[in-house]
PDB file of all heavy atoms in Angstrom:
ATOM      1  N   ALA A   6      12.175   6.019 -18.785  1.00  0.00           N
ATOM      2  CA  ALA A   6      11.899   7.140 -19.681  1.00  0.00           C
ATOM      3  C   ALA A   6      11.908   8.501 -18.841  1.00  0.00           C
ATOM      4  O   ALA A   6      11.960   9.559 -19.517  1.00  0.00           O
ATOM      5  CB  ALA A   6      10.541   6.987 -20.317  1.00  0.00           C
ATOM      6  N   TYR A   7      11.762   8.431 -17.589  1.00  0.00           N
ATOM      7  CA  TYR A   7      11.762   9.674 -16.741  1.00  0.00           C
ATOM      8  C   TYR A   7      13.151  10.037 -16.326  1.00  0.00           C
ATOM      9  O   TYR A   7      14.013   9.271 -16.009  1.00  0.00           O
ATOM     10  CB  TYR A   7      10.937   9.420 -15.459  1.00  0.00           C
ATOM     11  CG  TYR A   7       9.490   9.099 -15.687  1.00  0.00           C
ATOM     12  CD1 TYR A   7       8.922   8.026 -14.994  1.00  0.00           C
ATOM     13  CD2 TYR A   7       8.632   9.870 -16.554  1.00  0.00           C
ATOM     14  CE1 TYR A   7       7.591   7.797 -15.190  1.00  0.00           C
ATOM     15  CE2 TYR A   7       7.320   9.623 -16.663  1.00  0.00           C
ATOM     16  CZ  TYR A   7       6.789   8.550 -16.076  1.00  0.00           C
ATOM     17  OH  TYR A   7       5.496   8.248 -16.177  1.00  0.00           O
ATOM     18  N   SER A   8      13.304  11.362 -16.299  1.00  0.00           N
ATOM     19  CA  SER A   8      14.552  11.889 -15.709  1.00  0.00           C
ATOM     20  C   SER A   8      14.535  11.787 -14.197  1.00  0.00           C
ATOM     21  O   SER A   8      13.430  11.522 -13.642  1.00  0.00           O
ATOM     22  CB  SER A   8      14.722  13.445 -16.078  1.00  0.00           C
ATOM     23  OG  SER A   8      13.778  14.205 -15.460  1.00  0.00           O
ATOM     24  N   ASP A   9      15.646  11.961 -13.535  1.00  0.00           N
ATOM     25  CA  ASP A   9      15.650  11.884 -12.039  1.00  0.00           C
ATOM     26  C   ASP A   9      14.665  12.919 -11.473  1.00  0.00           C
ATOM     27  O   ASP A   9      13.975  12.588 -10.493  1.00  0.00           O
ATOM     28  CB  ASP A   9      17.085  12.119 -11.506  1.00  0.00           C
ATOM     29  CG  ASP A   9      17.998  10.908 -11.826  1.00  0.00           C
ATOM     30  OD1 ASP A   9      17.474   9.842 -12.077  1.00  0.00           O
ATOM     31  OD2 ASP A   9      19.226  11.068 -11.740  1.00  0.00           O
ATOM     32  N   HIS A  10      14.727  14.075 -11.979  1.00  0.00           N
ATOM     33  CA  HIS A  10      13.819  15.135 -11.458  1.00  0.00           C
ATOM     34  C   HIS A  10      12.320  14.778 -11.667  1.00  0.00           C
ATOM     35  O   HIS A  10      11.452  14.953 -10.792  1.00  0.00           O
ATOM     36  CB  HIS A  10      14.078  16.484 -12.070  1.00  0.00           C
ATOM     37  CG  HIS A  10      13.241  17.610 -11.540  1.00  0.00           C
ATOM     38  ND1 HIS A  10      13.355  18.027 -10.213  1.00  0.00           N
ATOM     39  CD2 HIS A  10      12.264  18.311 -12.070  1.00  0.00           C
ATOM     40  CE1 HIS A  10      12.485  18.987 -10.043  1.00  0.00           C
ATOM     41  NE2 HIS A  10      11.759  19.156 -11.082  1.00  0.00           N
ATOM     42  N   ALA A  11      12.030  14.190 -12.839  1.00  0.00           N
ATOM     43  CA  ALA A  11      10.659  13.804 -13.142  1.00  0.00           C
ATOM     44  C   ALA A  11      10.206  12.697 -12.153  1.00  0.00           C
ATOM     45  O   ALA A  11       9.057  12.654 -11.681  1.00  0.00           O
ATOM     46  CB  ALA A  11      10.522  13.288 -14.598  1.00  0.00           C
ATOM     47  N   ARG A  12      11.179  11.767 -11.931  1.00  0.00           N
ATOM     48  CA  ARG A  12      10.910  10.747 -10.955  1.00  0.00           C
ATOM     49  C   ARG A  12      10.544  11.250  -9.540  1.00  0.00           C
ATOM     50  O   ARG A  12       9.592  10.833  -8.826  1.00  0.00           O
ATOM     51  CB  ARG A  12      11.996   9.711 -10.793  1.00  0.00           C
ATOM     52  CG  ARG A  12      11.985   8.663 -11.862  1.00  0.00           C
ATOM     53  CD  ARG A  12      13.000   7.507 -11.483  1.00  0.00           C
ATOM     54  NE  ARG A  12      13.329   6.864 -12.613  1.00  0.00           N
ATOM     55  CZ  ARG A  12      14.458   7.039 -13.377  1.00  0.00           C
ATOM     56  NH1 ARG A  12      15.377   7.868 -12.962  1.00  0.00           N
ATOM     57  NH2 ARG A  12      14.675   6.414 -14.530  1.00  0.00           N
ATOM     58  N   GLN A  13      11.309  12.299  -9.195  1.00  0.00           N
ATOM     59  CA  GLN A  13      11.106  12.947  -7.888  1.00  0.00           C
ATOM     60  C   GLN A  13       9.754  13.654  -7.811  1.00  0.00           C
ATOM     61  O   GLN A  13       9.001  13.557  -6.861  1.00  0.00           O
ATOM     62  CB  GLN A  13      12.287  13.886  -7.623  1.00  0.00           C
ATOM     63  CG  GLN A  13      12.285  14.478  -6.218  1.00  0.00           C
ATOM     64  CD  GLN A  13      13.447  15.414  -6.020  1.00  0.00           C
ATOM     65  OE1 GLN A  13      13.916  16.132  -6.850  1.00  0.00           O
ATOM     66  NE2 GLN A  13      13.871  15.421  -4.744  1.00  0.00           N
ATOM     67  N   VAL A  14       9.422  14.366  -8.900  1.00  0.00           N
ATOM     68  CA  VAL A  14       8.155  14.976  -8.947  1.00  0.00           C
ATOM     69  C   VAL A  14       6.976  14.024  -8.910  1.00  0.00           C
ATOM     70  O   VAL A  14       6.025  14.170  -8.167  1.00  0.00           O
ATOM     71  CB  VAL A  14       8.043  16.012 -10.189  1.00  0.00           C
ATOM     72  CG1 VAL A  14       6.627  16.457 -10.394  1.00  0.00           C
ATOM     73  CG2 VAL A  14       9.020  17.067 -10.119  1.00  0.00           C
ATOM     74  N   LEU A  15       7.102  12.960  -9.670  1.00  0.00           N
ATOM     75  CA  LEU A  15       6.001  11.912  -9.701  1.00  0.00           C
ATOM     76  C   LEU A  15       5.917  11.212  -8.348  1.00  0.00           C
ATOM     77  O   LEU A  15       4.767  10.962  -7.955  1.00  0.00           O
ATOM     78  CB  LEU A  15       6.302  10.969 -10.800  1.00  0.00           C
ATOM     79  CG  LEU A  15       6.042  11.433 -12.251  1.00  0.00           C
ATOM     80  CD1 LEU A  15       6.562  10.498 -13.299  1.00  0.00           C
ATOM     81  CD2 LEU A  15       4.595  11.800 -12.480  1.00  0.00           C
ATOM     82  N   ALA A  16       7.052  10.984  -7.712  1.00  0.00           N
ATOM     83  CA  ALA A  16       6.989  10.322  -6.421  1.00  0.00           C
ATOM     84  C   ALA A  16       6.328  11.297  -5.385  1.00  0.00           C
ATOM     85  O   ALA A  16       5.615  10.894  -4.581  1.00  0.00           O
ATOM     86  CB  ALA A  16       8.414   9.987  -5.948  1.00  0.00           C
ATOM     87  N   ALA A  17       6.652  12.641  -5.495  1.00  0.00           N
ATOM     88  CA  ALA A  17       5.996  13.600  -4.672  1.00  0.00           C
ATOM     89  C   ALA A  17       4.551  13.599  -4.809  1.00  0.00           C
ATOM     90  O   ALA A  17       3.798  13.776  -3.912  1.00  0.00           O
ATOM     91  CB  ALA A  17       6.642  14.969  -4.839  1.00  0.00           C
ATOM     92  N   LYS A  18       4.148  13.582  -6.119  1.00  0.00           N
ATOM     93  CA  LYS A  18       2.774  13.617  -6.408  1.00  0.00           C
ATOM     94  C   LYS A  18       1.957  12.337  -5.842  1.00  0.00           C
ATOM     95  O   LYS A  18       0.973  12.468  -5.230  1.00  0.00           O
ATOM     96  CB  LYS A  18       2.463  13.652  -7.912  1.00  0.00           C
ATOM     97  CG  LYS A  18       2.743  14.972  -8.612  1.00  0.00           C
ATOM     98  CD  LYS A  18       2.479  14.916 -10.088  1.00  0.00           C
ATOM     99  CE  LYS A  18       2.853  16.257 -10.744  1.00  0.00           C
ATOM    100  NZ  LYS A  18       2.071  17.440 -10.231  1.00  0.00           N
ATOM    101  N   ALA A  19       2.640  11.170  -5.985  1.00  0.00           N
ATOM    102  CA  ALA A  19       2.027  10.003  -5.446  1.00  0.00           C
ATOM    103  C   ALA A  19       1.971  10.059  -3.961  1.00  0.00           C
ATOM    104  O   ALA A  19       0.941   9.653  -3.317  1.00  0.00           O
ATOM    105  CB  ALA A  19       2.889   8.783  -5.851  1.00  0.00           C
ATOM    106  N   TRP A  20       3.053  10.490  -3.303  1.00  0.00           N
ATOM    107  CA  TRP A  20       3.108  10.693  -1.844  1.00  0.00           C
ATOM    108  C   TRP A  20       2.047  11.643  -1.289  1.00  0.00           C
ATOM    109  O   TRP A  20       1.248  11.427  -0.361  1.00  0.00           O
ATOM    110  CB  TRP A  20       4.484  11.109  -1.407  1.00  0.00           C
ATOM    111  CG  TRP A  20       4.539  11.291   0.147  1.00  0.00           C
ATOM    112  CD1 TRP A  20       4.602  10.427   1.139  1.00  0.00           C
ATOM    113  CD2 TRP A  20       4.482  12.616   0.748  1.00  0.00           C
ATOM    114  NE1 TRP A  20       4.610  11.128   2.336  1.00  0.00           N
ATOM    115  CE2 TRP A  20       4.494  12.445   2.104  1.00  0.00           C
ATOM    116  CE3 TRP A  20       4.403  13.927   0.257  1.00  0.00           C
ATOM    117  CZ2 TRP A  20       4.477  13.461   3.031  1.00  0.00           C
ATOM    118  CZ3 TRP A  20       4.320  14.953   1.142  1.00  0.00           C
ATOM    119  CH2 TRP A  20       4.347  14.744   2.569  1.00  0.00           C
ATOM    120  N   SER A  21       1.953  12.760  -1.999  1.00  0.00           N
ATOM    121  CA  SER A  21       0.997  13.832  -1.610  1.00  0.00           C
ATOM    122  C   SER A  21      -0.415  13.332  -1.692  1.00  0.00           C
ATOM    123  O   SER A  21      -1.234  13.483  -0.824  1.00  0.00           O
ATOM    124  CB  SER A  21       1.237  15.038  -2.408  1.00  0.00           C
ATOM    125  OG  SER A  21       0.389  16.118  -1.996  1.00  0.00           O
ATOM    126  N   GLN A  22      -0.759  12.698  -2.856  1.00  0.00           N
ATOM    127  CA  GLN A  22      -2.068  12.135  -3.058  1.00  0.00           C
ATOM    128  C   GLN A  22      -2.443  11.087  -1.933  1.00  0.00           C
ATOM    129  O   GLN A  22      -3.521  11.122  -1.374  1.00  0.00           O
ATOM    130  CB  GLN A  22      -2.240  11.582  -4.489  1.00  0.00           C
ATOM    131  CG  GLN A  22      -3.581  11.047  -4.724  1.00  0.00           C
ATOM    132  CD  GLN A  22      -3.747  10.408  -6.056  1.00  0.00           C
ATOM    133  OE1 GLN A  22      -2.742  10.062  -6.720  1.00  0.00           O
ATOM    134  NE2 GLN A  22      -4.980  10.167  -6.515  1.00  0.00           N
ATOM    135  N   ALA A  23      -1.563  10.110  -1.793  1.00  0.00           N
ATOM    136  CA  ALA A  23      -1.791   9.069  -0.832  1.00  0.00           C
ATOM    137  C   ALA A  23      -1.926   9.647   0.584  1.00  0.00           C
ATOM    138  O   ALA A  23      -2.748   9.203   1.402  1.00  0.00           O
ATOM    139  CB  ALA A  23      -0.688   8.010  -0.850  1.00  0.00           C
ATOM    140  N   SER A  24      -1.101  10.596   0.912  1.00  0.00           N
ATOM    141  CA  SER A  24      -1.198  11.268   2.233  1.00  0.00           C
ATOM    142  C   SER A  24      -2.521  11.925   2.450  1.00  0.00           C
ATOM    143  O   SER A  24      -3.168  11.826   3.532  1.00  0.00           O
ATOM    144  CB  SER A  24      -0.069  12.342   2.471  1.00  0.00           C
ATOM    145  OG  SER A  24       1.168  11.683   2.491  1.00  0.00           O
ATOM    146  N   GLN A  25      -2.996  12.587   1.434  1.00  0.00           N
ATOM    147  CA  GLN A  25      -4.304  13.261   1.535  1.00  0.00           C
ATOM    148  C   GLN A  25      -5.428  12.228   1.619  1.00  0.00           C
ATOM    149  O   GLN A  25      -6.375  12.440   2.462  1.00  0.00           O
ATOM    150  CB  GLN A  25      -4.552  14.168   0.292  1.00  0.00           C
ATOM    151  CG  GLN A  25      -3.641  15.405   0.286  1.00  0.00           C
ATOM    152  CD  GLN A  25      -3.703  16.174  -1.002  1.00  0.00           C
ATOM    153  OE1 GLN A  25      -4.405  15.800  -1.930  1.00  0.00           O
ATOM    154  NE2 GLN A  25      -2.878  17.237  -1.071  1.00  0.00           N
ATOM    155  N   GLN A  26      -5.274  11.097   0.948  1.00  0.00           N
ATOM    156  CA  GLN A  26      -6.338  10.082   1.014  1.00  0.00           C
ATOM    157  C   GLN A  26      -6.340   9.441   2.372  1.00  0.00           C
ATOM    158  O   GLN A  26      -7.388   9.185   2.924  1.00  0.00           O
ATOM    159  CB  GLN A  26      -6.111   9.038  -0.052  1.00  0.00           C
ATOM    160  CG  GLN A  26      -6.386   9.522  -1.448  1.00  0.00           C
ATOM    161  CD  GLN A  26      -5.949   8.423  -2.467  1.00  0.00           C
ATOM    162  OE1 GLN A  26      -5.046   7.646  -2.207  1.00  0.00           O
ATOM    163  NE2 GLN A  26      -6.536   8.467  -3.616  1.00  0.00           N
ATOM    164  N   LEU A  27      -5.133   9.249   2.916  1.00  0.00           N
ATOM    165  CA  LEU A  27      -5.040   8.660   4.302  1.00  0.00           C
ATOM    166  C   LEU A  27      -5.649   9.611   5.303  1.00  0.00           C
ATOM    167  O   LEU A  27      -6.352   9.207   6.306  1.00  0.00           O
ATOM    168  CB  LEU A  27      -3.625   8.347   4.668  1.00  0.00           C
ATOM    169  CG  LEU A  27      -3.075   7.150   3.998  1.00  0.00           C
ATOM    170  CD1 LEU A  27      -1.488   6.995   4.291  1.00  0.00           C
ATOM    171  CD2 LEU A  27      -3.764   5.848   4.493  1.00  0.00           C
ATOM    172  N   GLU A  28      -5.400  10.912   5.191  1.00  0.00           N
ATOM    173  CA  GLU A  28      -6.059  11.854   6.075  1.00  0.00           C
ATOM    174  C   GLU A  28      -7.516  11.922   6.026  1.00  0.00           C
ATOM    175  O   GLU A  28      -8.212  12.073   6.999  1.00  0.00           O
ATOM    176  CB  GLU A  28      -5.379  13.310   5.815  1.00  0.00           C
ATOM    177  CG  GLU A  28      -5.931  14.411   6.727  1.00  0.00           C
ATOM    178  CD  GLU A  28      -5.732  14.140   8.202  1.00  0.00           C
ATOM    179  OE1 GLU A  28      -4.881  13.407   8.580  1.00  0.00           O
ATOM    180  OE2 GLU A  28      -6.427  14.873   8.995  1.00  0.00           O
ATOM    181  N   GLN A  29      -8.063  11.768   4.781  1.00  0.00           N
ATOM    182  CA  GLN A  29      -9.507  11.688   4.634  1.00  0.00           C
ATOM    183  C   GLN A  29     -10.061  10.461   5.307  1.00  0.00           C
ATOM    184  O   GLN A  29     -11.107  10.550   5.974  1.00  0.00           O
ATOM    185  CB  GLN A  29      -9.843  11.672   3.161  1.00  0.00           C
ATOM    186  CG  GLN A  29      -9.685  12.941   2.457  1.00  0.00           C
ATOM    187  CD  GLN A  29      -9.876  12.894   0.916  1.00  0.00           C
ATOM    188  OE1 GLN A  29      -9.955  11.822   0.314  1.00  0.00           O
ATOM    189  NE2 GLN A  29      -9.932  14.017   0.260  1.00  0.00           N
ATOM    190  N   VAL A  30      -9.361   9.325   5.184  1.00  0.00           N
ATOM    191  CA  VAL A  30      -9.855   8.038   5.889  1.00  0.00           C
ATOM    192  C   VAL A  30      -9.775   8.311   7.387  1.00  0.00           C
ATOM    193  O   VAL A  30     -10.702   7.904   8.127  1.00  0.00           O
ATOM    194  CB  VAL A  30      -8.983   6.863   5.413  1.00  0.00           C
ATOM    195  CG1 VAL A  30      -9.259   5.685   6.287  1.00  0.00           C
ATOM    196  CG2 VAL A  30      -9.241   6.521   3.980  1.00  0.00           C
ATOM    197  N   ARG A  31      -8.686   8.883   7.897  1.00  0.00           N
ATOM    198  CA  ARG A  31      -8.605   9.209   9.297  1.00  0.00           C
ATOM    199  C   ARG A  31      -9.674  10.069   9.832  1.00  0.00           C
ATOM    200  O   ARG A  31     -10.388   9.810  10.841  1.00  0.00           O
ATOM    201  CB  ARG A  31      -7.189   9.807   9.588  1.00  0.00           C
ATOM    202  CG  ARG A  31      -6.916   9.978  11.067  1.00  0.00           C
ATOM    203  CD  ARG A  31      -5.573  10.709  11.273  1.00  0.00           C
ATOM    204  NE  ARG A  31      -5.660  12.128  11.147  1.00  0.00           N
ATOM    205  CZ  ARG A  31      -6.124  12.900  12.101  1.00  0.00           C
ATOM    206  NH1 ARG A  31      -6.541  12.565  13.232  1.00  0.00           N
ATOM    207  NH2 ARG A  31      -6.187  14.272  11.797  1.00  0.00           N
ATOM    208  N   GLN A  32      -9.999  11.187   9.073  1.00  0.00           N
ATOM    209  CA  GLN A  32     -11.002  12.059   9.471  1.00  0.00           C
ATOM    210  C   GLN A  32     -12.402  11.409   9.394  1.00  0.00           C
ATOM    211  O   GLN A  32     -13.251  11.618  10.288  1.00  0.00           O
ATOM    212  CB  GLN A  32     -11.025  13.310   8.600  1.00  0.00           C
ATOM    213  CG  GLN A  32      -9.851  14.264   8.751  1.00  0.00           C
ATOM    214  CD  GLN A  32      -9.786  14.892  10.181  1.00  0.00           C
ATOM    215  OE1 GLN A  32     -10.855  15.128  10.768  1.00  0.00           O
ATOM    216  NE2 GLN A  32      -8.614  15.118  10.652  1.00  0.00           N
ATOM    217  N   SER A  33     -12.584  10.531   8.444  1.00  0.00           N
ATOM    218  CA  SER A  33     -13.840   9.742   8.368  1.00  0.00           C
ATOM    219  C   SER A  33     -14.028   8.883   9.555  1.00  0.00           C
ATOM    220  O   SER A  33     -15.053   8.770  10.095  1.00  0.00           O
ATOM    221  CB  SER A  33     -13.816   8.977   7.042  1.00  0.00           C
ATOM    222  OG  SER A  33     -14.956   8.170   6.974  1.00  0.00           O
ATOM    223  N   GLU A  34     -12.963   8.202   9.894  1.00  0.00           N
ATOM    224  CA  GLU A  34     -13.036   7.281  11.145  1.00  0.00           C
ATOM    225  C   GLU A  34     -13.363   8.021  12.388  1.00  0.00           C
ATOM    226  O   GLU A  34     -14.104   7.674  13.190  1.00  0.00           O
ATOM    227  CB  GLU A  34     -11.692   6.512  11.353  1.00  0.00           C
ATOM    228  CG  GLU A  34     -11.592   5.380  10.435  1.00  0.00           C
ATOM    229  CD  GLU A  34     -10.269   4.555  10.624  1.00  0.00           C
ATOM    230  OE1 GLU A  34      -9.663   4.647  11.724  1.00  0.00           O
ATOM    231  OE2 GLU A  34      -9.919   3.773   9.776  1.00  0.00           O
ATOM    232  N   LEU A  35     -12.714   9.201  12.485  1.00  0.00           N
ATOM    233  CA  LEU A  35     -12.946  10.119  13.697  1.00  0.00           C
ATOM    234  C   LEU A  35     -14.388  10.588  13.729  1.00  0.00           C
ATOM    235  O   LEU A  35     -15.051  10.676  14.783  1.00  0.00           O
ATOM    236  CB  LEU A  35     -11.978  11.262  13.742  1.00  0.00           C
ATOM    237  CG  LEU A  35     -10.538  10.958  14.071  1.00  0.00           C
ATOM    238  CD1 LEU A  35      -9.689  12.218  13.953  1.00  0.00           C
ATOM    239  CD2 LEU A  35     -10.436  10.292  15.478  1.00  0.00           C
ATOM    240  N   ALA A  36     -14.884  11.016  12.528  1.00  0.00           N
ATOM    241  CA  ALA A  36     -16.301  11.461  12.441  1.00  0.00           C
ATOM    242  C   ALA A  36     -17.244  10.339  12.744  1.00  0.00           C
ATOM    243  O   ALA A  36     -18.277  10.510  13.405  1.00  0.00           O
ATOM    244  CB  ALA A  36     -16.583  12.042  11.043  1.00  0.00           C
ATOM    245  N   GLU A  37     -17.011   9.131  12.221  1.00  0.00           N
ATOM    246  CA  GLU A  37     -17.838   7.919  12.530  1.00  0.00           C
ATOM    247  C   GLU A  37     -17.838   7.684  13.988  1.00  0.00           C
ATOM    248  O   GLU A  37     -18.871   7.403  14.622  1.00  0.00           O
ATOM    249  CB  GLU A  37     -17.293   6.786  11.732  1.00  0.00           C
ATOM    250  CG  GLU A  37     -18.215   5.531  11.853  1.00  0.00           C
ATOM    251  CD  GLU A  37     -17.655   4.415  11.014  1.00  0.00           C
ATOM    252  OE1 GLU A  37     -17.279   4.637   9.848  1.00  0.00           O
ATOM    253  OE2 GLU A  37     -17.664   3.256  11.527  1.00  0.00           O
ATOM    254  N   LEU A  38     -16.697   7.700  14.625  1.00  0.00           N
ATOM    255  CA  LEU A  38     -16.562   7.487  16.107  1.00  0.00           C
ATOM    256  C   LEU A  38     -17.368   8.542  16.868  1.00  0.00           C
ATOM    257  O   LEU A  38     -18.111   8.238  17.825  1.00  0.00           O
ATOM    258  CB  LEU A  38     -15.052   7.516  16.469  1.00  0.00           C
ATOM    259  CG  LEU A  38     -14.849   7.273  18.016  1.00  0.00           C
ATOM    260  CD1 LEU A  38     -15.308   5.959  18.499  1.00  0.00           C
ATOM    261  CD2 LEU A  38     -13.305   7.385  18.213  1.00  0.00           C
ATOM    262  N   ALA A  39     -17.156   9.803  16.545  1.00  0.00           N
ATOM    263  CA  ALA A  39     -17.875  10.910  17.187  1.00  0.00           C
ATOM    264  C   ALA A  39     -19.382  10.725  17.040  1.00  0.00           C
ATOM    265  O   ALA A  39     -20.159  10.970  17.930  1.00  0.00           O
ATOM    266  CB  ALA A  39     -17.364  12.205  16.668  1.00  0.00           C
ATOM    267  N   GLY A  40     -19.808  10.333  15.859  1.00  0.00           N
ATOM    268  CA  GLY A  40     -21.232  10.161  15.612  1.00  0.00           C
ATOM    269  C   GLY A  40     -21.816   9.037  16.466  1.00  0.00           C
ATOM    270  O   GLY A  40     -22.843   9.052  17.021  1.00  0.00           O
TER     271      GLY A  40
END
């Protein structure tokens, strides 16, 4: 049902969100280690 551009935008949204979540987990691990 999605156009190619819509697929690209949705994929970008999924990638961006997952990247941000991974960065939060990384920062949390570093903070835990520093603590």
Side-chain angles (χ1 to χ4, degrees):
Y7 297 132
S8 68
D9 288 341
H10 182 69
R12 277 194 202 99
Q13 189 179 30
V14 170
L15 288 170
K18 287 181 182 298
W20 173 81
S21 183
Q22 179 184 18
S24 293
Q25 289 170 2
Q26 289 172 336
L27 285 171
E28 180 59 19
Q29 288 172 349
V30 171
R31 185 182 80 81
Q32 291 296 330
S33 175
E34 283 185 14
L35 290 176
E37 184 178 317
L38 177 61

